[in-house]
């Protein structure tokens, strides 16, 4: 628990290598800790260790397949790799796992809009805005979709 907290704190101040070490220490104490493995995956992704991040996040999903936040973070990694189809699958899985997880709806809506799927994008972006009425990204993208129609 302490190593996870330390890892999360280090990640928040962009101390990637130290955060990786803290999450790895937590995993040595409890190899099934989804919190530590998720933190490790996020930190590896932030540090540019993409394949290791993907592997770590998949390991979390093996233990907790309905974890919306992990599906979302895996989608972000795929999106950064320019793998939009894989990213959209992850964002859809995230939204399906927890319909109230706004970041998944936003990310999916933005990707759908970029791929030209305006109707589906509108649904996702409206859901993101419903969950967070202050979401400027969703509001702006919806306005842009409205201008295109």
């Amino acid at each position: 628990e302490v190593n996870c907290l330390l890892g999360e704190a280090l990640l928040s101040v962009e101390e990637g290598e130290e955060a990786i070490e803290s999450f790895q220490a937590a995993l040595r104490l409890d190899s099934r800790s989804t919190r530590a493995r998720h933190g490790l995956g996020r930190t590896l992704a932030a540090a540019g260790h993409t394949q290791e991040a993907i592997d770590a996040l998949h390991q979390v999903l093996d233990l907790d397949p309905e974890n919306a936040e992990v599906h979302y973070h895996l989608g972000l990694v795929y999106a950064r790799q320019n793998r939009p189809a894989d990213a959209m699958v992850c964002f859809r899985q995230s939204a399906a796992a927890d319909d109230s997880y706004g970041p998944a709806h936003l990310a999916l809506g933005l990707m759908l809009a970029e791929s030209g799927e305006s109707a589906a994008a509108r649904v996702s972006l409206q859901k993101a805005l419903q969950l967070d009425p202050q979401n400027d990204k969703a509001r702006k993208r919806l306005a842009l979709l409205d201008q295109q129609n």
Side-chain angles (χ1 to χ4, degrees):
E1 182 74 21
V2 171
N3 285 312
C4 285
L5 290 172
L6 179 58
E8 290 164 0
L10 290 167
L11 176 59
S12 72
V13 295
E14 299 179 2
E15 292 293 334
E17 293 305 316
E18 290 180 48
I20 289 170
E21 291 172 16
S22 292
F23 287 123
Q24 288 172 333
L27 287 167
R28 283 192 293 277
L29 296 172
D30 179 5
S31 65
R32 296 184 56 82
S33 170
T34 56
R35 181 179 178 186
R37 197 161 304 280
H38 182 199
L40 178 62
R42 289 179 55 217
T43 307
L44 288 166
H49 303 290
T50 306
Q51 189 55 53
E52 292 174 72
I54 290 170
D55 293 344
L57 294 170
H58 274 291
Q59 289 168 359
V60 176
L61 292 172
D62 288 344
L63 297 168
D64 185 5
E66 297 300 312
N67 191 316
E69 193 174 347
V70 176
H71 281 291
Y72 169 75
H73 285 123
L74 183 57
L76 292 178
V77 175
Y78 285 139
R80 281 189 219 116
Q81 279 194 307
N82 198 28
R83 294 171 58 179
D86 292 327
M88 283 195 277
V89 166
C90 291
F91 296 143
R92 282 187 173 104
Q93 290 171 324
S94 178
D98 181 358
D99 191 50
S100 68
Y101 191 63
H105 293 285
L106 176 63
L108 180 59
L110 294 173
M111 293 206 73
L112 288 166
E114 287 298 314
S115 68
E117 297 180 53
S118 297
R122 188 178 311 293
V123 171
S124 292
L125 292 168
Q126 287 171 337
K127 180 67 177 183
L129 198 55
Q130 174 191 348
L131 292 167
D132 177 9
Q134 305 304 314
N135 190 321
D136 287 335
K137 285 183 184 178
R139 186 180 322 285
K140 288 177 184 175
R141 194 60 171 126
L142 278 168
L144 196 59
L145 287 172
D146 288 341
Q147 289 175 359
Q148 294 170 354
N149 289 335

